[in-house]
């Protein structure tokens, strides 16, 4: 079994980040349909292939997170996607949560499912070549009312249980408590909530005796709610995000990977560059990188439109975005 700390650290190799390509079947179809592209298993496979088999991605990617369907699919070279990623030195990861559902007592909030049968699924994916796993929880802000402590505590408990089981199965746990961008909240409210979320999650990890050294935190940035129409300055985003992280994230974890959360690709790139520069200046103990889905895929899907003739141009746009993100984390 590979040493988990070594695997986790390798995800933060200089100038590299993680591609999140682990949308569930329903979400992947929704994204295709939003770009006027036909849906279904073969279209999803063709879409994944644009990203996963693009030439040269290994210069910029340390890992790629896949959904179970993609984990079992092949590229047109006949190779399973996880095997061809691994052959290029890109760690294959697997999303193991089973999505979210509204909480009965607080229907605007969500709880993440997937603990039933989890250890078997983790072992199965480890056997098939996964090196790391991901579990996503979502946290909604609504004025001073939400998030509720009930939602925070239950999601944190499940994240910690998953992290413990992932380590036991020989997989690096990526824990993703995402504070949603949706809403009218201020940047400062987003910071307070992120602090609360992180504090709750790390207490839960401690209670389950999760080894911090191989934990990767996947987090949102501190940003004003998307319905405010406010465009936060990258310096402000960086300062507040790092203050929240430094105060609440143990120094010993393997690293922090940011999600894009619905920011435009340019915003997600500029904010990441500012965060990395600020983190370097403050000599934070953990490395920082990107783990983007939408900010790495949107521009490419727009060009592709489901047409074979557009694949080369779509891949060029993807590589260009990867290059810019790589530059942002190499500074
Ligand atoms: P976004 O970068 O689109 O927020 O996605 C990251 C992710 O992995 C969501 O689970």
């Amino acid at each position: 079994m590979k040493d988990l700390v070594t695997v986790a650290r390798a995800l933060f190799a200089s100038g590299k980040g993680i591609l999140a390509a682990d949308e569930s079947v329903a979400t992947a179809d929704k994204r295709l349909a939003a770009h006027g592209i036909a849906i279904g298993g073969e279209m999803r496979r063709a879409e994944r292939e644009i990203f996963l088999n693009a030439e040269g991605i290994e210069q910029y990617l340390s890992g790629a997170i896949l959904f179970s369907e993609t984990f079992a699919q092949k590229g047109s070279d006949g190779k399973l996607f996880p095997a061809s990623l691994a052959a290029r030195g890109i760690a294959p990861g697997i999303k193991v949560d089973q999505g979210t559902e509204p909480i009965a007592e607080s229907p605007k909030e969500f709880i993440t499912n997937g603990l039933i049968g989890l250890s078997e699924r983790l072992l199965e994916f480890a056997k098939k070549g996964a090196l790391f796993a991901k579990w996503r929880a979502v946290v909604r802000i609504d004025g001073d009312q939400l998030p509720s402590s009930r939602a925070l505590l239950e999601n944190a408990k499940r994240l910690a249980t998953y992290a413990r089981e992932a380590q036991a199965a020989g997989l690096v746990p990526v824990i993703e408590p995402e504070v949603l961008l949706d809403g009218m909240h201020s940047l400062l409210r987003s910071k307070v909530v992120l602090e609360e979320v992180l504090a709750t999650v790390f207490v839960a990890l401690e209670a389950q005796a999760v080894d911090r050294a191989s934990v990767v935190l996947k987090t949102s940035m501190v940003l004003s709610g998307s319905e405010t129409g406010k465009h936060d300055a990258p310096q402000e985003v960086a300062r507040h995000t790092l203050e929240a992280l430094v105060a609440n994230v143990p120094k010993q974890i393997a690293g922090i990977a940011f999600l894009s959360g619905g920011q435009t690709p340019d915003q997600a790139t500029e904010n990441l560059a500012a965060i990395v520069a600020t983190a370097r200046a403050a000599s934070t103990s953990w490395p920082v990188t990107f783990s983007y889905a939408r900010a790495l895929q949107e521009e490419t899907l727009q060009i592709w439109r489901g047409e074979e003739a557009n694949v080369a141009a779509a891949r060029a746009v993807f590589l260009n975005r990867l290059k810019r993100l790589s530059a942002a984390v190499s500074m």
Side-chain angles (χ1 to χ4, degrees), residues 1 94-98 113-128 130 133 135 158 160-171:
M1 194 189 288
I94 180 76
K95 171 190 171 81
V96 291
D97 67 72
Q98 295 183 318
N113 286 324
L115 290 180
I116 297 166
L118 177 63
S119 57
E120 290 78 10
R121 288 206 307 286
L122 288 162
L123 286 168
E124 177 197 327
F125 284 111
K127 212 163 78 187
K128 289 182 179 158
W135 179 287
R158 294 187 187 193
T161 305
Y162 141 77
R164 178 172 46 76
E165 292 194 10
Q167 289 179 340
L171 294 174

Side-chain angles (χ1 to χ4, degrees), residues 20 22 134 136 176 178 218 259-262 291-295:
D22 61 330
K134 185 190 103 171
R136 172 176 180 253
E176 182 185 19
E178 172 177 0
K218 176 158 174 169
L259 59 96
S260 57
S291 176
Y292 291 169
R294 282 166 284 180

Side-chain angles (χ1 to χ4, degrees), residues 4 14 22 37 39 41 57 129 142 144 159 190 208 216 228 268 276:
L4 291 190
S14 173
D22 61 330
I37 302 170
I39 61 171
I57 53 172
D142 188 2
D144 291 333
L159 273 165
S190 152
Q208 302 251 13
V216 172
T228 61
V276 171

Side-chain angles (χ1 to χ4, degrees), residues 68-210:
S68 49
E69 178 184 65
T70 317
F71 213 90
Q73 284 176 327
K74 291 177 180 167
S76 41
D77 57 3
K79 288 192 192 140
L80 286 165
F81 284 127
S84 73
L85 287 168
R88 285 171 290 159
I90 303 169
I94 180 76
K95 171 190 171 81
V96 291
D97 67 72
Q98 295 183 318
T100 60
E101 69 172 354
I103 298 176
E105 300 82 359
S106 178
K108 282 185 178 170
E109 295 187 285
F110 295 87
I111 189 75
T112 303
N113 286 324
L115 290 180
I116 297 166
L118 177 63
S119 57
E120 290 78 10
R121 288 206 307 286
L122 288 162
L123 286 168
E124 177 197 327
F125 284 111
K127 212 163 78 187
K128 289 182 179 158
L131 294 178
F132 69 103
K134 185 190 103 171
W135 179 287
R136 172 176 180 253
V138 296
V139 176
R140 180 177 299 288
I141 303 180
D142 188 2
D144 291 333
Q145 301 302 308
L146 300 184
S148 66
S149 340
R150 179 199 297 269
L152 287 183
L153 278 170
E154 186 57 29
N155 271 310
K157 212 162 83 185
R158 294 187 187 193
L159 273 165
T161 305
Y162 141 77
R164 178 172 46 76
E165 292 194 10
Q167 289 179 340
L171 294 174
V172 166
V174 174
I175 54 166
E176 182 185 19
E178 172 177 0
V179 177
L180 297 171
L181 195 58
D182 315 58
M184 281 296 295
H185 52 270
S186 66
L187 177 121
L188 289 181
R189 175 78 179 128
S190 152
K191 180 183 189 179
V192 167
V193 171
L194 180 62
E195 296 211 72
E196 227 180 326
V197 168
L198 294 172
T200 314
V201 165
F202 284 103
V203 166
L205 290 181
E206 202 59 30
Q208 302 251 13
V210 173

